[in-house]
Amino acid sequence: MKPTTLEGFKNLLKDSEFVIFGTGKAAVRLWGVLGKLGLSPVAFLDNYIYGIEKNSGLPIFKPTEYNWGNKRTLVLLSIVTDSKSDEVFKQLINQGISEDLMMTLEEVAQALISVDITWQNTDENTFDWSRNNHRIEEMAKMIGGNITSVADLGCGNQHLKSLLSSSFKYVPIDYISRSEDTVVLDFNNDILPQISVDCMFLSGIISYIEDLPNFFDWVCTGAAKQIVIGHRYPYSAAKEKFFSMTASPSFDEVKDFVCNRGFLLVNTKNITQNNLEYAIMSFERI
């Protein structure tokens, strides 16, 4: 039986050797959370080798190259999308790994649902920021030709800045400093400062906002001409909590938040990034 409680989950991992399948954002987060619980995998597995080992100190193997031996090795899948998780399940089963020894991210998240998981559970130095580049680049294409200033909310590694002309006024905003000119702002606990730019740029930040009406009041007041939003399809409740997400508005709800505050939806596009589906929306002030 796969554990559904925290104690059962901890006891299972303490009694078994285990690996994490995946090396992306979810894997880094899972590794950080397990570390806080005093648990550590023996290795990471992935079909594509990334550089997590330089930060974790743990090796990465392709599943076909890992020495499974005769050990009872559990596999924790850090795959967010169900379809991709199913693919990995089939891959490992075909390799001779028992389904009973594998747990999906949904099952892991359910077992960890009582744990207070925050961003402090992981080290941002392990993030592969380039995995967000595709979404940022597609969103940047929607910035209008009459825009000369942009506020980048949740700016991360400021990839957007590299896509803009040097003549743009670029205002990076995030919960920790990313550069000397970063506006450090806790969107949930700080007083939102007065910002006035042509375009407010929101990439993946909406899911972490607690008071969405107040937040969009601020965003729409600060945007003189345009708002560009990248928003992912909602997860299950357990996965939302695992990623410390506090809001799961639908696309229609996001649209209503902005359009009810003096803007018109003028362009939309769906993209896939790291097997996750996103909708990109561009709004112009009426």
Side-chain angles (χ1 to χ4, degrees):
M1 293 289 291
K2 296 180 182 179
T4 58
T5 66
L6 177 60
E7 284 307 309
F9 182 67
K10 289 168 63 176
N11 290 336
L12 176 66
L13 297 193
K14 286 178 180 178
D15 294 340
S16 305
E17 181 175 282
F18 71 95
V19 296
I20 294 176
F21 191 105
T23 54
K25 180 179 178 180
V28 172
R29 195 161 181 74
L30 179 55
W31 168 59
V33 173
L34 294 178
K36 296 292 184 180
L37 298 175
L39 303 167
S40 178
V42 295
F44 289 89
L45 306 181
D46 207 314
N47 292 314
Y48 306 96
I49 304 301
Y50 293 104
I52 195 173
E53 78 281 359
K54 68 183 178 182
N55 295 298
S56 68
L58 298 170
I60 305 175
F61 298 96
K62 292 184 178 180
T64 54
E65 297 173 353
Y66 183 67
N67 181 20
W68 297 94
N70 295 318
K71 304 182 296 293
R72 182 178 184 270
T73 302
L74 301 176
V75 184
L76 307 182
L77 276 65
S78 64
I79 313 298
V80 179
T81 57
D82 292 338
S83 59
K84 189 65 177 179
S85 184
D86 289 343
E87 289 181 20
V88 173
F89 248 73
K90 292 176 182 177
Q91 173 190 350
L92 294 177
I93 289 172
N94 289 337
Q95 196 176 322
I97 309 303
S98 171
E99 183 176 347
D100 293 337
L101 296 178
M102 291 184 274
M103 290 184 69
T104 65
L105 183 59
E106 176 68 23
E107 291 170 329
V108 171
Q110 287 286 354
L112 292 172
I113 204 162
S114 64
V115 178
D116 183 20
I117 301 174
T118 70
W119 284 111
Q120 283 67 45
N121 289 119
T122 58
D123 180 357
E124 282 205 353
N125 292 325
T126 63
F127 290 174
D128 181 2
W129 290 103
S130 66
R131 292 190 171 200
N132 294 327
N133 287 356
H134 174 57
R135 182 175 78 247
I136 303 298
E137 290 160 6
E138 291 299 316
M139 291 176 62
K141 292 175 183 177
M142 289 192 177
I143 296 177
N146 62 339
I147 302 300
T148 60
S149 57
V150 176
D152 188 0
L153 310 188
C155 61
N157 67 338
Q158 301 185 19
H159 182 57
L160 174 62
K161 184 177 182 179
S162 69
L163 305 174
L164 302 174
S165 166
S166 59
S167 63
F168 268 75
K169 176 185 177 183
Y170 175 76
V171 182
I173 304 177
D174 214 331
Y175 75 107
I176 60 174
S177 179
R178 307 293 187 179
S179 59
E180 291 183 357
D181 60 343
T182 300
V183 177
V184 178
L185 180 64
D186 182 332
F187 296 99
N188 292 323
N189 296 303
D190 293 344
I191 296 175
L192 300 176
Q194 183 176 349
I195 299 288
S196 182
V197 291
D198 289 341
C199 175
M200 287 285 209
F201 191 91
L202 290 66
S203 176
I205 192 175
I206 294 175
S207 300
Y208 303 97
I209 304 300
E210 295 174 0
D211 187 346
L212 286 173
N214 181 62
F215 175 74
F216 277 107
D217 283 343
W218 175 70
V219 168
C220 295
T221 299
K225 299 178 181 179
Q226 184 183 26
I227 299 171
V228 178
I229 295 175
H231 184 51
R232 52 123 189 109
Y233 282 73
Y235 299 150
S236 68
K239 287 181 185 175
E240 296 272 349
K241 188 175 186 303
F242 176 77
F243 286 106
S244 298
M245 294 174 176
T246 58
S248 298
S250 67
F251 301 122
D252 285 340
E253 288 172 322
V254 172
K255 175 185 173 182
D256 289 343
F257 275 125
V258 180
C259 291
N260 290 339
R261 289 165 173 79
F263 285 81
L264 178 69
L265 178 63
V266 296
N267 196 4
T268 63
K269 182 177 182 178
N270 291 326
I271 66 167
T272 300
Q273 174 186 284
N274 307 322
N275 299 305
L276 300 179
E277 297 295 324
Y278 283 82
I280 298 173
M281 296 168 275
S282 173
F283 301 84
E284 292 182 1
R285 184 173 289 281
I286 300 173

